[in-house]
Amino acid sequence: MKSRDQPVEASAPALSPALRVLLILAASVIALAGLWFAREIVGPLALGAVIVIICHPLRHPLERAGWPRWLATTAVIAVAYIVLIFLVLLLVFAGIQFAHLVADYAKDLETTGQNLVAWLSSLGLDKQVSDATATFLDASKILSYVTSLGGTVVNVLMALFFVLAYIIFMAVDGARYARAEHEFGRGIRPTVERFQRFNIGVRRYYIVNASFGAIVAILDGLALWWLGIPAPIVWAILAFVTNFIPNIGFVIGLIPPALLALVVGGWPMMLAVIAIYCVVNVVLQVLVQPKFVSDAVNLSLTLSFFSVIFWTFIIGPLGAILSIPLTLLVRALVMEGDPGATWLRWLSGDTTVAGIAD
């Protein structure tokens, strides 16, 4: 029996819901600020992780065929390097061709800009609008943008060493993580299954986007070649790359060939390019592809659109292409391990949780 004079231990007061939300928001801001300051490391790390996740399934048939684990890991690393080098060469080729194209059509761009300014002024539009349009078609401004974009590519190439190192380490660790359940027992299975779902979602997302991106790039490239637009291969590559940017990639891929069509063929050719892109890209990217992407990742359209803007701000241009995998990772880490976050998972677009709370 406790003595009457013995102090009674006071239980810690429970946090109010409002205070709990504020603490979560404060912790999130601190974590995101850290990611922003470390974006030059986080971006290549995320890219390396995505490439390894895509190539990792190659090891399973090789190991079943009797390959040693180290040799299967080496094959995964080799395929990951091939994918990465191919993407880099593709972007470098397109960037060089685009720079040459702008230099070749510098005078035509200037003339088109002057004509467009005169037409806008004749309509009575504000002079600031006309000046902004002229600046948009200024060859020096475009070359400056290409140069800055080239600087981004150089930064990515400088980070290539880290990406290559990440790929080696992650591919080796991928073989070790497969034995987690054997090492820790069945209690670890929910965590393993959670990250297996994440990996499957990332692979499905990029398979779907690469498939539709290839179709869109071929159709757009052939249409531009038929119209006589210069460098149709460059715009086909641009259409393929921007297909990995949800929702707004179509617009980014349309603007350069449409402006070039205006320069070389006037308004009729520009409208023809816009019409072709609207038919091909809108039908495939807006009407058909989202259904396959939704089935692959279970993300709402609103969250997909917001994730592009958000992750681009956090880690730079690479965030636009990696936005969906990064969002899936946050959901896997924060929501899927918390039974109380079922409603938030459903709100994010995860239809697999319907009825769990019941």
Side-chain angles (χ1 to χ4, degrees):
M1 184 174 179
K2 292 184 178 180
S3 172
R4 182 174 301 178
D5 297 332
Q6 185 176 353
V8 179
E9 294 182 0
S11 59
L15 295 176
S16 65
L19 182 59
R20 185 169 181 266
V21 170
L22 287 176
L23 289 176
I24 292 174
L25 291 176
S28 300
V29 170
I30 294 173
L32 292 173
L35 288 176
W36 186 82
F37 281 109
R39 59 189 179 277
E40 294 183 359
I41 299 175
V42 174
L45 177 62
L47 178 61
V50 166
I51 293 176
V52 171
I53 288 172
I54 294 172
C55 300
H56 181 76
L58 175 65
R59 76 165 55 252
H60 302 310
L62 296 179
E63 291 181 353
R64 286 195 297 267
W67 287 37
R69 183 173 298 158
W70 68 268
L71 190 55
T73 301
T74 303
V76 171
I77 295 172
V79 173
Y81 279 6
I82 292 172
V83 171
L84 181 62
I85 293 172
F86 172 76
L87 292 176
V88 171
L89 292 177
L90 202 67
L91 293 176
V92 169
F93 168 79
I96 293 174
Q97 293 299 316
F98 184 47
H100 287 318
L101 199 63
V102 173
D104 292 340
Y105 285 89
K107 293 183 179 180
D108 294 327
L109 283 169
E110 184 179 354
T111 302
T112 302
Q114 292 173 352
N115 295 336
L116 191 57
V117 168
W119 178 67
L120 291 175
S121 300
S122 67
L123 295 177
L125 293 180
D126 189 83
K127 186 178 184 299
Q128 293 180 348
V129 176
S130 302
D131 293 342
T133 304
T135 302
F136 189 69
L137 288 172
D138 187 358
S140 61
K141 297 292 184 181
I142 297 176
L143 281 175
S144 175
Y145 173 75
V146 174
T147 303
S148 64
L149 192 61
T152 302
V153 174
V154 170
N155 291 335
V156 172
L157 292 176
M158 291 177 63
L160 189 60
F161 169 78
F162 295 101
V163 177
L164 296 176
Y166 293 149
I167 287 174
I168 294 176
F169 301 146
M170 292 178 185
V172 173
D173 287 337
R176 184 169 65 89
Y177 295 152
R179 306 192 302 272
E181 187 173 345
H182 174 74
E183 298 290 339
F184 295 95
R186 293 187 175 182
I188 200 69
R189 180 175 293 180
T191 302
V192 173
E193 291 178 346
R194 191 197 324 172
F195 285 97
Q196 284 177 343
R197 288 193 300 269
F198 165 72
N199 293 342
I200 292 172
V202 170
R203 281 193 288 270
R204 286 178 176 175
Y205 171 73
Y206 281 104
I207 289 172
V208 169
N209 277 272
S211 301
F212 278 93
I215 296 172
V216 168
I218 292 172
L219 294 177
D220 287 343
L222 290 175
L224 295 176
W225 171 78
W226 179 71
L227 288 174
I229 305 297
I233 296 179
V234 174
W235 314 126
I237 293 173
L238 182 62
F240 176 77
V241 173
T242 55
N243 190 66
F244 291 94
I245 304 176
N247 303 311
I248 62 175
F250 156 66
V251 178
I252 298 174
L254 167 63
I255 292 175
L259 290 177
L260 185 60
L262 176 63
V263 171
V264 301
W267 289 102
M269 186 171 287
M270 179 182 180
L271 294 176
V273 170
I274 294 175
I276 290 172
Y277 267 69
C278 287
V279 171
V280 175
N281 296 50
V282 170
V283 169
L284 291 176
Q285 292 180 298
V286 178
L287 300 180
V288 180
Q289 182 177 336
K291 176 62 172 62
F292 290 88
V293 172
S294 177
D295 292 341
V297 300
N298 284 319
L299 280 181
S300 66
L301 294 177
T302 302
L303 184 58
S304 299
F305 176 75
F306 174 74
S307 66
V308 176
I309 302 173
F310 178 79
W311 289 112
T312 302
F313 171 75
I314 295 296
I315 65 173
L318 201 57
I321 297 177
L322 300 176
S323 59
I324 297 300
L326 290 172
T327 303
L328 291 176
L329 179 61
V330 171
R331 189 170 70 181
L333 291 174
V334 177
M335 298 183 188
E336 294 186 11
D338 184 3
T342 302
W343 164 252
L344 292 176
R345 287 174 58 188
W346 180 86
L347 196 64
S348 72
D350 189 354
T351 58
T352 61
V353 300
I356 290 180
D358 298 336

